[in-house]
């Protein structure tokens, strides 16, 4: 699920203009893998446009999605400790990234306090997000986790909120740590009780406030 930031840690335009002189831009098609979990960490990425997912998988094809990144987000900061990539990143929309190699990044951090502060806040936000996720997995059921994800991603301000088409039942399952069958059960329950419906375009919509507990 997307991180709920206490502060906006995305790169502002004025700082981005400075960073563009220190790296190269790369384009990615839908489905492209930017790097795999376990790869050597060699660069910081700034997502200029598009949408990426951060995930891990196993040999059986099971996946868990840690986060979905949008324009202005940074990722790959863990290169600073010299360790390998802790997750894989894949484009889920046509995307463009600014890629800043490790040596150039270290120089920028020493000479640009704004960047150092942004990266520090970003890492703090990720730690908070990880703590919330662990709390949710340990203390909440699948119903509560699905509802929280729907609430985070719903859009629309006309009294009817819509769930993005990209948020399929399998994607929900990957992001809340459950099976697709369990998610389907929750979604069917919400529909039967009148919380969810489909509009004329067959998109899922929230028609009344979702319950906090199952």
């Amino acid at each position: 699920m997307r991180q709920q930031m206490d502060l906006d840690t995305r790169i502002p335009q004025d700082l981005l203009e400075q960073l563009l002189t220190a790296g190269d831009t790369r384009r990615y098609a839908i489905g492209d893998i930017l790097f795999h979990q376990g790869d050597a960490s060699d660069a910081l990425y700034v997502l200029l446009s598009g949408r990426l997912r951060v995930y891990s998988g196993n040999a059986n094809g099971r996946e868990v999605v840690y986060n979905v990144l949008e324009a202005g987000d940074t990722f790959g900061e863990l290169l600073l400790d010299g360790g390998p990539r802790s997750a894989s990143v894949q484009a889920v929309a046509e995307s463009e990234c600014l890629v800043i190699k490790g040596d150039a990044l270290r120089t920028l951090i020493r000479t640009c306090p704004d960047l150092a502060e942004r990266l520090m806040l970003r890492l703090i936000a990720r730690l908070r997000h990880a703590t919330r996720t662990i709390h949710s997995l340990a203390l909440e059921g699948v119903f509560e986790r699905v509802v929280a994800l729907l609430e985070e991603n719903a859009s629309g301000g006309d009294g009817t909120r819509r769930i993005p088409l990209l948020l399929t039942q399998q994607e929900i399952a990957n992001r809340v740590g459950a099976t697709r069958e369990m998610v389907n059960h929750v979604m069917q329950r919400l529909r039967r009780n009148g919380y969810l419906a489909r509009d004329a375009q067959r998109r899922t919509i929230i028609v009344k406030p979702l319950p906090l507990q199952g």
Side-chain angles (χ1 to χ4, degrees):
M1 60 189 66
R2 178 163 176 79
Q3 296 176 10
Q4 298 295 301
M5 299 296 186
D6 298 319
L7 293 172
D8 187 357
T9 60
R10 289 175 291 182
I11 300 295
Q13 186 61 37
D14 57 345
L15 178 55
L16 179 59
E17 290 176 0
Q18 297 182 50
L19 298 182
L20 285 170
T21 64
D24 300 313
T25 57
R26 299 179 187 174
R27 295 182 180 274
Y28 302 93
I30 297 174
D32 284 352
I33 304 294
L34 281 67
F35 52 76
H36 291 92
Q37 181 178 354
D39 286 351
S41 299
D42 62 352
L44 172 77
Y45 291 70
V46 181
L47 181 55
L48 302 177
S49 64
R51 189 175 173 90
L52 308 171
R53 69 179 187 129
V54 184
Y55 71 99
S56 290
N58 63 18
N60 296 324
R62 184 75 183 274
E63 290 184 354
V64 58
V65 177
Y66 301 121
N67 197 13
V68 176
L69 305 175
E70 298 179 350
D73 282 333
T74 61
F75 58 101
E77 296 95 337
L78 295 185
L79 73 92
L80 293 172
D81 74 353
R85 299 295 189 189
S86 60
S88 302
V89 176
Q90 181 182 40
V92 294
E94 291 188 359
S95 303
E96 183 177 20
C97 291
L98 171 65
V99 183
I100 304 174
K101 293 295 186 179
D103 289 343
L105 176 63
R106 292 180 178 86
T107 298
L108 283 169
I109 289 174
R110 289 192 295 268
T111 59
C112 183
D114 287 347
L115 175 61
E117 181 179 16
R118 289 280 170 174
L119 294 180
M120 179 180 66
L121 291 174
R122 180 69 176 176
L123 292 173
I124 290 172
R126 285 184 176 168
L127 177 59
R128 292 185 183 278
H129 173 69
T131 301
R132 285 192 293 266
T133 299
I134 293 169
H135 176 278
S136 177
L137 290 172
L139 301 178
E140 297 176 355
V142 173
F143 184 94
E144 289 77 14
R145 300 203 298 272
V146 170
V147 166
L149 185 63
L150 295 177
E151 288 283 7
E152 287 177 16
N153 288 271
S155 62
D158 57 357
T160 299
R161 292 179 295 155
R162 295 172 179 82
I163 304 302
L165 293 175
L166 289 173
L167 203 62
T168 64
Q169 289 189 10
Q170 185 59 61
E171 180 69 11
I172 293 172
N174 292 343
R175 293 172 65 176
V176 302
T179 65
R180 184 183 180 282
E181 290 73 18
M182 295 170 70
V183 171
N184 179 263
H185 176 76
V186 172
M187 298 292 283
Q188 292 291 347
R189 181 176 172 184
L190 291 171
R191 290 191 180 95
R192 284 197 306 270
N193 292 331
Y195 295 101
L196 300 180
R198 292 190 183 277
D199 63 13
Q201 288 75 42
R202 304 295 296 168
R203 294 175 300 185
T204 299
I205 59 174
I206 299 175
V207 295
K208 64 180 182 181
L210 297 176
L212 298 179
Q213 295 181 325

